[in-house]
Amino acid sequence: MIVLLSVRPGTLEGTMTQDLSPAERYAAARRRAAEQATALAGFREMYDFGLDPFQIEACRALEAGKGVLVAAPTGSGKTIVGEFAVHLALQQGRKCFYTTPIKALSNQKYSDLCRRYGSGKVGLLTGDNSLNADAPVVVMTTEVLRNMLYSGSQTLRGLGYVVMDEVHYLSDRFRGAVWEEVIIHLPDSVTLVSLSATVSNAEEFGDWLDTVRGDTEVIVSEHRPVPLFQHVLAGRRMYDLFEEGEGHRKAVNPDLTRMARLEASRPTYADRRRGRAMREADRERERRQRSRIWTPSRPEVIERLDAEGLLPAITFIFSRAACEAAVQQCLYAGLRLNDEEAREKVRALVEERTASIPPEDLHVLGYYEWLEGLERGIAAHHAGMLPTFKEVVEELFVRGLVKAVFATETLALGINMPARSVVLEKLVKWNGEQHADITPGEYTQLTGRAGRRGIDVEGHAVVLWQRAMNPEQVAGLAGTRTYPLRSSFKPSYNMAVNLVEQFGRHRSRELLETSFAQFQADKSVVGISRQVQRNEEGLAGYRESMTCHLGDFSEYARLRRELKDRETELARQGAAQRRAEAAVALERLKPGDVIHVPTGKYAGLALVLDPGLPAGRSNGHRGFDHHDGPRPLVLTAERQVKRLAAIDFPVPVEALERMRIPKSFNPRSPQSRRDLASALRTKAGHIPPERHRKRRSQAADDREIARLRAALRAHPCHGCNDREDHAR
């Protein structure tokens, strides 16, 4: 029995030949011949490894004349699709522009394409370099292409494909709008290849691309070729961030949770200064914890990774100066990661690459300190370095001659410097306005450098322990796999001037209305409109269900609602108004006023001895709060001298009579209190009964409430037995 096995797509894999009819075998042969005649077949032969299904699907869509949006994890091989667009352009005699967000990535992609197609067919346009700009394939930063579109550059003639690498960068607050401008203004004849990290709204972004660019196929892959393991390095020990739970569910390592709880319970330096002495058991526990919990230094981290076999490693530090300082710290610590043979290779390559730099300039550039670090296998990488120095670091790292790189986050944007491990010192960075926590998308972009496809079987992301670290927060960053793509498009004056000059006012307005930001806003408006429509349909159903045979129940319900709302409002206003009036009345009191305390333990007649106004407050001043309000000192009819508070006067109080307080009155003397209290009771006998007067506004409110209640009782539906069911 002969079994026919095929690895080519479209064949009948594992099908026995005797099960195929002659027609089926002929059709399979025709399919194989057709596949071999495509551009994709020749392109696949350029690689010594097989393409993944999502790469094949995207390449086939491109060959069919469609635009593509490829959303896949960092390190999964999205750039293969962009390189196929370059291959198609050269095969068809057209141009291809390969755009990147940063110069370092442009320089690296230029070198890669030059090695494959030759320097005569590849050009480079960045702020630093302009090489062979008329070549059929030009690598450039996105801003360069935007400027070409606005100026109507002749270089755009014959353009067939544009590759936008790291297109998710359009959500960047400062530069993201450039990506949208390019997508909107590219000629319709250009096929767009968009390469993005995994985002949760790839279909929404693809719908917008389909609207502004024509037929666009969205290809999403969430498979990461090299598995990534998350760790936290605390002291001398490296903890796994997750542990396997029931049903293969990942849970935060309880050891980390326990450490965070103990760390939070430790007294701070300020606590100890305030004299909070710890018990002996607490001090012993702190000593044990401190022996294994601290933030390791940079040399300690590299030594630990080296001992675990986790080098080469990239340590991300969100500061250029800190990257340089990290290298110096490792040098001072005597760290050496290269043997003598590797040191000689490093020196030979560095001298070759820097031969064109004058010797007098090398000292100014810190060449010798930089070379010392490279020979030991340690280097910094950031945008402030000389381009030649950065390229040397990248090449040495790829060759395995530099094993520890301290880099800023620009290294995470697609540069081909994959490492076995990635270290994050902190989870906070400066975002241009303030220090803010990094987002799940930024965390995944940074840690995505870990794990070299075809070299490593797994990658490792290491977060350094910091005081007050929350393991749950770190797990949230590491566990979020997809992120929404949000537009940062904001039309500027410069953009408006360029658009009006090139396209006119009417066309410029149309272009601005096709932005991704407007597309997302329109979709949200549509969603709100649909919700309003559903609510209106629901209300119509309620109106139908509350129909009453006695009369219009909606009118009865309206009366009930008005009555309840009015009663609630008056109660709220009445309480507030009474408090305010009581406050004003207390401030008007003077020594010798006879008043009636309305509530409290000392309710009844009282004589004001002292109004108790706050310091600096005159009797004519209005307004006070519960903390500094008047606290009158009074003599009660029962001969008690007490200082009252605002809580004893829930309603306004007024002077009923006036009495003269003898100058010889001593509140501490029982005889003085008895004599004055007797005079107060005598005076009270001449006071007529209190007049219960209502304010005119109160009377009007009462009349309104009475009217609503009468209308409610007179309504026909008031006698309906089902009125409560209708109301519900």
Side-chain angles (χ1 to χ4, degrees), residues 415-486:
I415 295 179
N416 186 24
M417 283 182 63
R420 183 167 298 169
S421 304
V422 162
V423 180
L424 297 183
E425 284 198 344
K426 295 182 179 179
L427 300 178
V428 176
K429 72 166 189 173
W430 178 258
N431 64 4
E433 296 179 354
Q434 61 182 354
H435 285 93
D437 295 337
I438 66 174
T439 65
E442 291 168 336
Y443 181 91
T444 302
Q445 189 77 22
L446 295 168
T447 58
R449 295 290 98 198
R452 298 167 295 180
R453 187 174 187 178
I455 302 175
D456 300 318
V457 295
E458 59 189 31
H460 298 268
V462 181
V463 178
L464 299 191
W465 177 268
Q466 301 288 342
R467 182 171 176 84
M469 174 181 282
N470 184 357
E472 298 286 347
Q473 180 186 3
V474 182
L477 291 173
T480 306
R481 294 268 64 84
T482 55
Y483 330 95
L485 190 61
R486 294 285 175 253

Side-chain angles (χ1 to χ4, degrees), residues 107 111 129 381 386-396:
N107 293 333
S111 300
N129 297 306
H381 187 287
L386 193 70
T388 302
F389 284 15
K390 283 194 296 182
E391 293 168 10
V392 169
V393 172
E394 294 165 10
E395 185 173 351
L396 290 174

